[in-house]
């Protein structure tokens, strides 16, 4: 597939998104539509669109790539996915009812009412930092693919590729915000899901495998081990660690994250929001099985055809997350290549456009108070929102450039590693608020506690083998981080004269 063909496909794709954005936002581009989609979203559209937001280009490329990683990961990621499913159920039954009872625009309004001003600003700041970093990582992954297979051909610098990508996202989200995202993400999720199934079909067709034959091929390969029960202390792949990590990372990165919760809060009522979450959870688990199957089939195909894992052009090290694009774009026919491109573009931009909207919403609501009655009629609030939108786009741009200069590991691992440190304090804050209703925090100490918690978590993680008889942390590190925050809040809190009701 030539770079010119890829470029033409990208232009057509984004032209479609611009058209949808124009149609959706032409009659209403105010703050209420941007922040909450006027609380009139259809639950089934939200459920389907959330698949694209939750999966991202990381799942699309890195998860299949890690199936055959030298570390022997195989299908161990599915253990993490099962933990995710448990986390989604906790969110549905515990957090969503709370947010709807309080009629929140920003979910960090709960922290403001429960703990106070400084706690509120701390929680919102943690989200802004965490989501900005994770969104930059996710967009980085698709940009390096576009750079390698398209823009290097035209001798366009990496920084300019990043800038073009962010300008495209900004241009179709800055007016309609969430109201536009609900529709565009539905379309993008359709491309993502379709591309997964078609990719499996095309690879099987090239290897003359039926559906049953492909299942047997994957089952009998060296890539299909799902459950790891050996070496609890020393292995990062152990079932318990993956389940705990998946559960608590999901609670923190979804249930305590303005991005995905903002979509849920755009439904008409709690009943529809919960239907959305249960439906989304079922689809999420199933689609990840197919992503892992794609990974196994890619490695089987590569081994049979002598295709080597691509190497990083800078470090020279193998990059497993480039195997999928290498095979799709250089070793299959035109149609499979188009299917792959639509999938990765849809997955990544569905995540980044949603995150950019959520970051703008959080800053405008949590720091500028645009949801407050006294500010709702002020002039130029829409213009201010546009400036905030531009600022976060610029911030993501610079973070991607920094990450590109230092990255030497798989993006999927890096995202969850960073999440363990950045989202952990949010986990501790909400756990304290929900389970210690007879105690009040020392509001002014909360920012310090949330700063110290990741620091102590890092020290413990670096010395875990020595401290815990050879124990090695993986994604469950977020539980430790949240626990340290929780204990810090508890020992600096005081008993309340009456039990808090929310």
């Amino acid at each position: 597939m030539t770079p010119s063909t890829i470029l033409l496909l990208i232009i057509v794709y984004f032209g479609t998104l611009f058209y949808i954005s124009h149609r959706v936002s032409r009659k209403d581009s105010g703050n209420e539509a941007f922040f909450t989609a006027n609380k009139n979203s259809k639950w089934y559209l939200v459920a389907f669109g959330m698949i694209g937001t939750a999966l991202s280009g990381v799942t699309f490329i890195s998860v299949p790539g890690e199936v055959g990683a030298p570390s022997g990961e195989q299908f161990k990621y599915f253990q993490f996915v099962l933990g995710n499913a448990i986390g989604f159920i906790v969110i549905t039954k515990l957090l969503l009812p709370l947010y709807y009872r309080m009629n929140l625009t920003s979910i960090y309004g709960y922290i403001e009412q429960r703990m106070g001003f400084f706690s509120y600003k701390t929680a919102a700041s943690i989200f802004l930092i965490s989501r900005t970093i994770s969104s930059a990582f996710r967009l980085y992954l698709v940009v390096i693919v576009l750079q390698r297979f398209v823009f290097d051909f035209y001798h366009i610098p990496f920084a300019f590729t990043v800038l073009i990508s962010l300008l495209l996202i900004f241009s179709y989200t800055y007016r309609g915000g969430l109201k536009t995202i609900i529709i565009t993400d539905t379309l993008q999720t359709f491309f993502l899901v379709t591309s997964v199934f078609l990719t499996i079909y095309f690879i099987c067709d090239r290897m003359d495998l039926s559906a049953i034959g492909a299942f047997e091929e994957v089952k009998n390969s060296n890539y299909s081990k799902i459950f790891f029960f050996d070496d609890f202390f020393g292995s990062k792949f152990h079932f318990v660690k993956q389940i705990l990590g998946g559960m608590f990372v999901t609670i923190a990165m979804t249930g305590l994250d303005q991005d995905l919760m903002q979509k849920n809060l755009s439904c008409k009522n709690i009943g529809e929001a919960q239907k959305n979450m249960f439906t989304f959870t079922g689809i999420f688990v199933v689609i990840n099985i197919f992503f892992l199957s794609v990974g196994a089939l890619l490695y089987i195909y590569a081994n049979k055809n002598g295709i080597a894992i691509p190497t990083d052009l800078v470090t020279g090290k193998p990059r497993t997350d480039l195997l999928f694009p290498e095979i799709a774009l250089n070793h299959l026919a035109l149609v499979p290549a188009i299917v792959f491109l639509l999938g990765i573009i849809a997955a990544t931009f569905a995540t980044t456009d949603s995150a950019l909207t959520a970051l703008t919403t959080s800053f405008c609501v949590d720091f500028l108070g645009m949801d407050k009655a006294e500010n709702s009629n002020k002039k130029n609030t829409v213009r201010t929102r546009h400036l905030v939108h531009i600022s976060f786009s610029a911030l993501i741009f610079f973070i991607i450039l920094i990450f590109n200069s230092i990255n030497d590991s798989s993006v999927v691992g890096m995202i969850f590693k960073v999440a363990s440190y950045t989202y952990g304090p949010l986990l501790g804050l909400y756990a304290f608020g929900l389970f210690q209703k007879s105690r009040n925090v020392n509001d002014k100490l909360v920012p310090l506690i949330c700063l110290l918690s990741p620091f102590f978590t890092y020290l413990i993680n670096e010395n875990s083998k020595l401290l815990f008889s050879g124990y090695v942390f993986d994604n469950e590190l977020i539980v430790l981080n949240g626990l340290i925050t929780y204990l810090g809040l508890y020992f600096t809190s005081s008993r309340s004269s009456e039990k808090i009701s929310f």
Side-chain angles (χ1 to χ4, degrees):
M1 190 174 188
T2 66
S4 300
T5 305
I6 297 174
L7 189 60
L8 178 62
L9 180 65
I10 293 171
I11 292 171
V12 172
Y13 182 88
F14 279 99
T16 304
L17 294 184
F18 294 150
Y19 174 76
I20 293 172
S21 174
H22 172 71
R23 294 282 297 181
V24 171
S25 62
R26 61 178 179 172
K27 293 182 179 179
D28 187 2
S29 59
N31 287 338
E32 187 68 19
F34 188 96
F35 297 150
T36 67
N38 299 316
K39 289 190 177 292
N40 197 33
S41 300
K42 305 298 183 184
W43 70 267
Y44 45 86
L45 292 180
V46 176
F48 191 65
M50 278 178 63
I51 297 296
T53 304
L55 292 176
S56 80
V58 172
T59 309
F60 199 88
I61 295 181
S62 281
V63 169
E66 288 197 342
V67 167
S71 54
E73 302 205 10
Q74 301 187 62
F75 275 29
K76 74 93 179 174
Y77 183 73
F78 191 66
Q79 299 175 125
F80 185 78
V81 170
L82 293 177
N84 294 157
I86 298 171
F88 289 134
I89 293 170
V90 172
I91 293 166
T92 305
K93 303 299 290 184
L94 179 64
L95 293 176
L96 272 181
L98 173 69
Y99 299 152
Y100 267 88
R101 271 199 316 271
M102 298 181 71
N103 194 29
L104 299 175
T105 298
S106 166
I107 63 173
Y108 309 113
Y110 164 75
I111 297 295
E112 180 181 29
Q113 295 184 46
R114 171 64 179 86
M115 297 182 181
F117 176 83
F118 292 102
S119 302
Y120 169 47
K121 299 303 181 185
T122 301
S125 298
I126 291 171
F127 162 72
L128 293 176
I129 294 169
S130 303
R131 179 50 74 174
T132 303
I133 293 173
S134 64
S135 297
F137 285 171
R138 287 177 165 94
L139 183 58
Y140 164 77
L141 183 60
V142 73
V143 169
I144 60 174
V145 172
L146 294 176
Q147 184 68 35
R148 186 177 184 123
F149 294 98
V150 182
F151 294 102
D152 277 344
F153 178 81
Y154 295 105
H155 305 291
I156 294 174
F158 177 80
F160 191 69
T161 306
V162 179
L163 183 61
I164 292 172
S165 301
L166 285 166
L167 284 174
L168 289 171
I169 294 169
F170 173 84
S171 61
Y172 74 82
T173 59
Y174 83 101
R175 292 187 64 200
L178 189 61
K179 189 175 180 181
T180 298
I181 293 298
I182 296 296
I183 305 300
T184 57
D185 278 7
T186 301
L187 176 66
Q188 296 190 103
T189 299
F190 171 78
F191 286 133
L192 185 158
V193 173
T194 302
S195 68
V196 174
F197 291 111
L198 287 179
T199 297
I200 292 176
Y201 168 78
F202 288 127
I203 295 175
C204 290
D205 184 61
R206 290 296 292 265
M207 295 193 293
D208 295 320
L209 292 173
S210 63
I212 296 175
F215 174 80
E216 290 295 327
E217 188 84 16
V218 172
K219 179 183 174 183
N220 298 325
S221 71
N222 296 322
Y223 307 111
S224 60
K225 184 177 179 180
I226 298 176
F227 300 109
F228 293 76
F229 295 104
D230 299 328
D231 191 12
F232 173 74
F233 280 88
S235 173
K236 292 184 176 182
F237 301 168
H238 195 277
F239 177 79
V240 174
K241 294 181 181 181
Q242 292 296 316
I243 289 289
L244 286 175
M247 175 182 172
F248 285 100
V249 164
T250 295
I251 292 172
M253 291 186 70
T254 301
L256 309 180
D257 184 287
Q258 177 65 23
D259 187 357
L260 286 169
M261 286 299 97
Q262 185 172 354
K263 291 184 176 181
N264 280 280
L265 295 175
S266 71
C267 294
K268 292 180 180 179
N269 53 58
I270 180 61
E272 293 208 349
Q274 288 179 320
K275 279 195 292 186
N276 150 55
M277 281 300 293
F278 282 127
T279 305
F280 159 75
T281 301
I283 299 173
F284 178 84
V285 172
V286 172
I287 200 69
N288 270 288
I289 295 174
F290 285 97
F291 270 113
L292 290 165
S293 300
V294 167
L297 289 170
L298 285 171
Y299 279 98
I300 292 169
Y301 182 82
N303 291 334
K304 288 185 176 181
N305 292 275
I307 301 171
I309 298 175
T311 57
D312 190 286
L313 297 177
V314 178
T315 65
K317 296 180 180 179
R319 288 291 301 267
T320 59
D321 48 19
L322 290 177
L323 180 63
F324 193 174
E326 171 66 24
I327 291 176
L329 298 177
N330 292 333
H331 297 275
L332 297 178
L334 177 63
V335 174
I338 291 174
V339 166
F340 166 80
L341 271 175
L342 286 174
I344 185 177
I345 293 171
T348 302
F349 286 95
T351 302
T352 309
D353 60 20
S354 177
L356 192 56
T357 300
L359 289 166
T360 302
T361 298
S362 178
F363 191 86
C364 289
V365 171
D366 297 323
F367 290 91
L368 302 182
M370 287 189 182
D371 63 327
K372 300 289 191 294
E374 62 270 21
N375 295 326
S376 60
N377 294 322
K378 285 186 177 179
K379 294 181 179 179
N380 296 325
T381 55
V382 172
R383 180 174 178 274
T384 301
R385 191 196 76 213
H386 290 167
L387 291 175
V388 172
H389 209 59
I390 292 172
S391 299
F392 276 110
S393 301
L395 184 57
I396 291 174
F397 171 77
F398 288 113
I399 291 174
I400 291 175
L401 295 189
I402 294 170
F403 185 61
N404 184 55
S405 66
I406 62 175
N407 177 56
D408 63 355
S409 62
S410 172
V411 176
V412 68
M414 182 66 73
I415 284 177
F416 292 124
K417 184 176 181 180
V418 170
S420 296
Y421 289 105
T422 57
Y423 279 89
L426 270 182
L427 195 61
L429 276 170
Y430 276 83
F432 184 90
L434 291 169
F435 301 119
Q436 291 294 335
K437 294 186 176 181
S438 61
R439 301 187 72 86
N440 288 324
V441 300
N442 187 328
D443 186 36
K444 291 184 178 181
L445 287 179
V446 169
L448 178 62
I449 292 169
C450 290
L451 281 174
L452 291 175
S453 178
F455 173 73
F456 285 120
T457 302
Y458 175 79
L459 291 180
I460 293 172
N461 183 45
E462 290 297 302
N463 298 281
S464 64
K465 290 183 179 180
L466 179 64
L467 294 171
F468 306 116
S469 304
Y471 187 88
V472 176
F473 283 99
D474 193 51
N475 295 316
E476 82 281 8
L477 189 65
I478 195 172
V479 181
L480 174 65
N481 197 352
L483 180 60
I484 292 173
T485 304
Y486 182 95
L487 292 175
L489 295 171
Y490 183 85
F491 288 117
T492 58
S493 66
S494 58
R495 186 167 292 278
S496 176
S497 56
E498 56 184 40
K499 190 173 181 179
I500 297 165
S501 61
F502 55 85

